[in-house]
């Protein structure tokens, strides 16, 4: 199978940049093998391998870090490998493997869990999961709330002659410290590039290494990245498997990309970086963009046996149709992870200019803003208004004899009309209601059988015009229709001493599946055509779509599919001035081309083959240039884009999804 060669020229959107490897605020160079990224209350934490314990560092932006020593140390144990952390109802759970202090055998690594009420630790040992070699855990919560653990062992194929080695398994969890005991192999050794040791036992068996699983779900697809081989070997790489996300995580059917027997590295060494592997995936501060966090060794430095040289690195991770793509390992300066349109750590003594305090008293500091229980209602709303966005905030409350009610206001139009979502500790419920003229109308509600409101919980919101989805700790709990139009976002509490922390909001919309019904708000079509759950198809002739606004200051991603290899064709212009001046992305069976047309003269800037019929085109339109990312390539095209629009022509193809994220927002500011 022929896959496209990756080649990148990434856009520079603002002055915030970074360069790998990542730095520390004190200027000291530190190693971070097997890094695991984790976010809590708006801050990022990185946990990593160390001989004497688990390293922990902290950052506000994913770029500059502060070292905080060891989060976990255990007397009598060493070689703390590949930690991960999971937060559940007020408790941080740290999963890591280690060996007895007097052991020289790495196969004595035992997988264990420790807990703390602080992400920095110290963590206290709770339990060991197995009395056998087990490493590289990741604990994830499924969309139904069920916990699962991925981990690696040697006993699935360890005695096989053809594919002996370390494999990745998954098991359900009864709770955050107990496995269900129903392990399933999900990623097994199959590739020569995964061979760590040839004829390891002198009986003809080559030993493979497949480890370091990281789970990612995007829409109706699931991905599992893994590390193959070992970091001291030339072939060490990050690969991934894919699955259709149509069942529980435990029951998903995985296959490597592009297949179990075809090699394709998502990340591998280049002439500047070696030992690239063992990744985690973390979302940028803007709540939208995935980034891949991994370790790598500087290739121009001598490899010193027994000396740790793996440094922390991050790079953007692109979801291209049904595949993953990245420019890693990078060494050149590039844009830092994007910030949200609004962000508040609540470190100042009062709410800042981004907020309008309408009711109650608000006191801020120590990364939280607090309301008072002696007020009938506390309400603060953003000074900026948004019609479609993604937002999150951590919240907690102090309970008294009357209970506690605390929540958010996803839509605040004015005092006469708003929508509020309240968590009620007494009723163990979450409820949304539309208030108009002092009359409240329930919109949706759900019971919360297991939650402690005195602990911080993450509330996430996605608004798409009149559709609102509310998440609690990463799980969709409410979906409802609400008033349209630009509106403020608010924080609220009713006769409750509440705390809010880590607020972020980004202007964003994502249309796929059922939400594709909103596509007529973005594009007008040249003829009547019906949207389906699979997208907007163009059958029986060409279909032209013209954007209803210019998309300036926005990163857009269009997911396309060629429905016919013989006739399928897509002509997409991310910046259309007129027939004689535009940028064109043209796709057919022969591949993808980027063409700039100036004064009627076409100039082909790029031609790349397509690996699959489903693919994405990511574009960023700026005043004097357009950035395009597609088919494993990235380029920046200088051109004037003032008063440009977006349009496309489809034939025997379809638009599967549409996504837009602001990087230079101009929402409406609240008046008065």
């Amino acid at each position: 199978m022929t896959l496209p060669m990756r080649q990148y020229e990434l856009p520079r959107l603002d002055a915030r940049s970074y360069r790998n490897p990542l730095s520390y605020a004190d200027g000291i160079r530190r190693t971070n093998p097997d890094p695991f990224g984790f976010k809590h209350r708006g801050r990022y934490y990185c946990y990593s391998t160390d001989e004497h314990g688990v390293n922990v560092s902290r950052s506000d932006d994913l770029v500059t870090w502060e070292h905080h020593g060891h989060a976990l140390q255990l007397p009598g144990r060493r070689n703390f490998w590949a930690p991960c952390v999971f937060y559940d109802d007020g408790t941080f759970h740290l999963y890591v493997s280690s060996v007895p202090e007097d052991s020289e055998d790495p196969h004595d690594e035992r997988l264990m869990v420790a807990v703390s009420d602080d992400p920095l630790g110290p963590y206290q040992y709770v339990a060991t999961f197995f009395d056998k070699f087990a490493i590289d855990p990741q604990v994830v919560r499924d969309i139904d709330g069920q916990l699962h653990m991925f981990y690696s062992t040697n006993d699935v194929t360890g005695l096989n002659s053809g594919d002996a080695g370390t494999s990745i398994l998954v098991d359900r969890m009864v709770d955050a410290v107990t496995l269900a005991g129903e392990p399933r192999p999900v990623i097994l050794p199959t590739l020569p590039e995964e061979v760590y040791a040839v004829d390891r036992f002198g009986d003809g068996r080559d030993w493979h290494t497949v480890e370091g699983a990281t789970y990612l779900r995007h829409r109706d697809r699931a991905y599992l990245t893994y590390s193959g081989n070992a970091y001291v070997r030339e072939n060490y790489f990050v690969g991934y498997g894919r699955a259709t996300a149509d069942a529980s995580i435990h029951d998903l059917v995985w296959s490597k990309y592009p297949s179990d027997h075809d090699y394709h590295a998502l990340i591998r060494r280049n002439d500047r970086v070696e030992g690239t592997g063992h990744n985690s995936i973390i979302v940028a501060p803007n709540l939208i963009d995935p980034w891949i966090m991994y370790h790598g060794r500087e290739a121009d430095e001598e490899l010193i046996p027994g000396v740790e040289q793996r440094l922390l690195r991050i790079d953007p991770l692109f979801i291209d149709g049904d595949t993953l793509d990245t420019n890693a390992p990078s060494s050149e300066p590039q844009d830092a992870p994007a910030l949200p349109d609004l962000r508040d750590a609540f470190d100042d003594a009062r709410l800042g200019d981004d907020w309008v305090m309408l009711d109650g008293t608000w006191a801020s500091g120590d990364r939280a803003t607090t309301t008072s229980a002696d007020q009938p209602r506390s309400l603060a709303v953003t000074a900026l208004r948004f019609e479609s966005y993604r937002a999150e905030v951590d919240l907690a409350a102090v309970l008294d004899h009357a209970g506690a009610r605390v929540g958010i206001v996803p839509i605040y139009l004015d005092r006469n009309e708003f929508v509020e979502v309240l968590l009620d500790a007494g009723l163990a419920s979450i409820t949304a209601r539309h208030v108009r003229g002092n009359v409240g109308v329930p919109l949706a509600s759900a019971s919360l059988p297991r939650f402690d409101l005195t602990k911080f919980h993450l509330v996430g919101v996605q608004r798409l015009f009149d559709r609102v989805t509310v998440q609690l700790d990463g799980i969709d709990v409410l979906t409802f229709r609400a008033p349209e139009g630009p509106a403020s976002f608010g924080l609220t509490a009713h006769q409750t001493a509440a705390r809010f922390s880590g607020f972020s909001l980004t202007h964003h919309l994502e249309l796929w599946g059922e939400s594709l019904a909103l596509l007529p708000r973005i594009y007008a079509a040249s003829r009547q055509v019906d949207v389906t759950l699979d997208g907007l198809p163009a059958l029986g002739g060409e279909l032209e779509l013209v954007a209803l606004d210019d998309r300036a200051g926005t990163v857009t991603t269009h997911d396309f599919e060629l429905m016919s290899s013989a006739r399928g064709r897509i002509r997409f212009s991310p910046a259309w001035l007129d027939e004689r001046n535009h940028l064109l992305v043209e796709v057919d069976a022969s591949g993808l081309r980027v063409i700039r047309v100036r004064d009627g003269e076409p100039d082909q800037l790029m031609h790349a083959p397509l690996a699959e019929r489903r693919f994405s085109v990511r574009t960023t339109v700026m005043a004097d240039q357009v950035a395009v990312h597609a088919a494993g390539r990235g380029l920046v095209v200088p051109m004037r884009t003032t008063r440009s629009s977006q349009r496309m022509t489809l034939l025997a193809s379809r638009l599967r999804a549409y996504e837009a994220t602001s990087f230079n927002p101009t929402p409406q500011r609240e008046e008065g």
Side-chain angles (χ1 to χ4, degrees):
M1 181 177 185
T2 301
L3 295 171
M5 179 185 68
R6 291 180 292 183
Q7 181 177 333
Y8 295 92
E9 182 184 354
L10 297 180
R12 298 297 301 274
L13 303 184
D14 57 40
R16 295 181 56 256
S17 65
Y18 81 101
R19 183 174 185 171
N20 282 316
L22 299 182
S23 62
Y24 278 81
D26 59 10
I28 298 175
R29 170 171 155 164
R30 293 182 172 87
T31 58
N32 280 279
D34 310 324
F36 178 81
F38 171 75
K39 186 181 181 185
H40 180 68
R41 292 179 58 189
R43 267 183 169 163
Y44 293 97
Y45 298 83
C46 176
Y47 304 85
S48 64
T49 290
D50 188 72
E51 170 74 12
H52 306 293
V54 174
N55 291 323
V56 60
S57 301
R58 188 170 67 185
S59 174
D60 288 328
D61 59 6
L62 281 178
V63 172
T64 302
W65 294 82
E66 299 173 351
H67 182 61
H68 287 269
H70 289 120
L72 169 69
Q73 290 183 298
L74 294 176
R77 301 199 71 84
R78 64 183 185 88
N79 279 10
F80 291 80
W81 283 5
C84 85
V85 167
F86 181 79
Y87 176 77
D88 186 43
D89 212 28
T91 301
F92 299 89
H93 300 77
L94 188 153
Y95 307 85
V96 68
S97 63
S98 66
V99 301
E101 197 169 44
D102 58 357
S103 174
E104 297 298 326
D105 187 354
H107 299 107
D108 285 337
E109 288 281 340
R110 298 295 184 264
L111 183 56
M112 57 188 61
V113 59
V115 299
S116 176
D117 60 3
D118 188 321
L120 295 176
Y123 286 80
Q124 304 298 318
Y125 169 84
V126 173
T128 298
F129 290 102
F130 311 104
D131 188 22
K132 67 176 183 180
F133 174 82
I135 59 172
D136 295 4
Q138 190 201 15
V139 172
V140 296
R141 194 190 303 274
D142 208 346
I143 58 173
D144 62 358
Q146 173 71 55
L147 300 185
H148 297 79
M149 180 191 285
F150 292 95
Y151 60 95
S152 296
T153 69
N154 288 342
D155 55 359
V156 175
T157 66
L159 298 179
N160 293 3
S161 59
D163 56 2
T166 310
S167 304
I168 298 172
L169 300 87
V170 67
D171 197 353
R172 295 186 181 93
M173 302 190 78
V174 177
D175 53 45
V177 299
T178 310
L179 288 169
E182 303 170 2
R184 281 190 65 244
V186 290
I187 301 288
L188 302 177
T190 58
L191 299 170
E193 290 81 3
E194 295 163 352
V195 173
Y196 164 68
V198 176
D199 194 18
R200 183 175 190 178
F201 306 102
D203 59 3
R205 282 183 297 152
D206 296 335
W207 188 264
H208 302 66
T209 299
V210 171
E211 59 189 15
T214 296
Y215 178 83
L216 170 68
R217 177 175 175 140
H218 179 69
R219 299 175 188 154
D220 56 356
R221 299 288 284 181
Y223 303 90
L224 197 67
T225 61
Y226 71 93
S227 293
N229 216 301
Y231 84 96
V232 294
R233 299 287 191 262
E234 183 176 355
N235 285 335
Y236 189 50
F237 72 98
V238 173
Y240 67 96
R242 302 185 296 181
T244 301
D246 57 359
S248 163
I249 288 177
H250 182 269
D251 300 322
L252 296 181
V253 178
W254 297 91
S255 62
K256 293 176 183 176
Y257 177 77
S259 78
D260 286 344
H261 300 284
D262 289 309
Y263 168 71
H264 174 70
L266 179 64
I267 305 177
R268 61 182 174 186
R269 62 173 290 174
N270 59 24
D271 59 351
R272 301 186 66 175
V273 189
E274 297 178 342
T276 51
H278 200 104
N279 75 275
S280 59
I281 297 172
I282 193 77
V283 177
N286 72 346
L287 311 180
I288 310 300
D289 303 328
W291 283 68
I292 192 159
M293 176 182 285
Y294 61 101
H295 63 228
R297 190 183 73 84
E298 299 296 277
D300 60 358
E301 296 181 2
E302 180 185 358
L303 179 61
I304 306 173
V307 175
E308 185 56 71
Q309 297 172 278
R310 290 172 288 179
L311 303 174
L312 179 61
R313 315 177 76 91
I314 60 170
D315 279 299
L317 180 67
F318 304 106
I319 301 175
D320 182 0
D322 292 338
T323 65
L324 301 181
D325 188 22
T326 180
N327 65 317
S330 77
S331 298
E332 300 300 325
Q334 62 180 321
D335 269 1
L339 298 178
D341 295 340
L342 292 179
R343 185 185 197 187
D344 204 330
F346 302 119
D347 275 335
D348 296 333
R350 57 179 294 275
L351 290 178
D353 293 339
D354 287 337
W355 298 95
V356 178
M357 290 163 282
L358 298 175
D359 296 307
T361 57
W362 295 79
S364 299
D366 192 24
R367 299 192 68 82
T369 187
T370 306
T371 64
S372 174
D374 61 6
Q375 300 293 318
R377 182 177 74 167
S378 299
L379 176 62
V381 301
T382 61
L384 297 179
R385 291 175 168 245
F386 301 83
E387 193 167 21
S388 297
Y389 63 80
R390 188 172 292 175
E392 69 176 31
V393 65
D394 292 88
L395 55 78
V398 176
L399 304 186
D400 67 12
H401 67 92
R405 286 195 295 171
V406 57
I408 58 166
V409 179
I411 298 173
Y412 181 85
L413 297 172
D414 52 42
R415 284 192 176 275
N416 188 59
E417 186 172 12
F418 56 88
V419 174
E420 68 177 357
V421 176
L422 291 176
L423 284 79
D424 191 311
L427 296 177
S429 66
I430 182 169
T431 301
R433 63 174 184 158
H434 177 201
V435 178
R436 185 174 184 180
N438 290 324
V439 177
V441 177
L443 298 174
S445 63
S447 61
L448 302 173
R450 180 182 176 272
F451 90 116
D452 181 354
L453 196 51
T454 66
K455 310 298 183 182
F456 274 106
H457 291 268
L458 180 64
V459 176
V461 182
Q462 178 169 298
R463 183 187 179 200
L464 295 173
F465 304 110
D466 65 339
R467 305 182 184 196
V468 178
T469 299
V470 178
Q471 289 188 333
L472 183 63
D473 296 327
I475 305 300
D476 290 353
V477 289
L478 297 178
T479 300
F480 53 87
R481 296 290 182 91
E484 297 191 47
S488 298
F489 181 95
L491 310 175
T492 190
H494 289 227
Q495 293 181 285
T496 299
R499 300 176 69 203
F500 299 89
S501 181
F503 168 73
S504 296
L505 184 150
T506 297
H507 179 74
H508 174 77
L509 61 90
E510 181 182 14
L511 307 183
W512 73 282
E514 292 184 356
S515 62
L516 276 169
L518 297 172
L519 193 62
R521 296 171 180 261
I522 310 300
Y523 280 102
S526 59
R527 58 181 173 84
Q528 183 172 330
V529 62
D530 293 332
V531 171
T532 72
L533 293 178
D534 294 325
L536 185 71
L539 300 173
E542 287 190 344
L543 174 69
E544 185 178 12
L545 300 172
V546 178
L548 300 179
D549 59 47
D550 61 9
R551 297 287 96 190
T554 304
V555 181
T556 60
T557 301
H558 294 74
D559 282 12
F560 294 110
E561 180 181 6
L562 290 175
M563 302 169 66
S564 167
S565 58
R567 299 180 58 247
R569 186 173 71 249
I570 297 165
R571 293 169 57 87
F572 167 58
S573 176
W576 175 276
L577 291 149
D578 52 47
E579 288 282 356
R580 296 176 55 81
N581 297 277
H582 56 270
L583 186 66
L584 179 65
V585 180
E586 189 175 59
V587 185
D588 55 27
S590 67
L592 181 146
R593 295 168 293 280
V594 177
I595 302 167
R596 179 174 52 193
V597 180
R598 288 191 294 191
D599 298 326
E601 295 295 324
D603 179 15
Q604 182 170 298
L605 306 176
M606 186 187 86
H607 180 214
L610 286 178
E612 299 191 337
R613 290 188 182 181
R614 294 184 174 185
F615 62 95
S616 300
V617 179
R618 176 186 172 101
T619 57
T620 307
V621 180
M622 293 158 276
D624 56 359
Q625 61 185 18
V626 180
V628 180
H629 179 276
R633 307 288 181 91
L635 75 160
V636 178
V637 183
M639 67 177 296
R640 181 180 60 82
T641 64
T642 305
R643 294 189 299 276
S644 68
S645 65
Q646 292 190 347
R647 59 179 58 192
M648 71 186 76
T649 302
L650 308 178
L651 176 66
S653 57
R654 75 169 124 231
L655 176 64
R656 296 177 60 230
Y658 172 85
E659 191 168 1
T661 306
S662 67
F663 66 87
N664 184 24
T666 54
Q668 298 178 20
R669 182 172 291 274
E670 173 74 0
E671 299 295 336

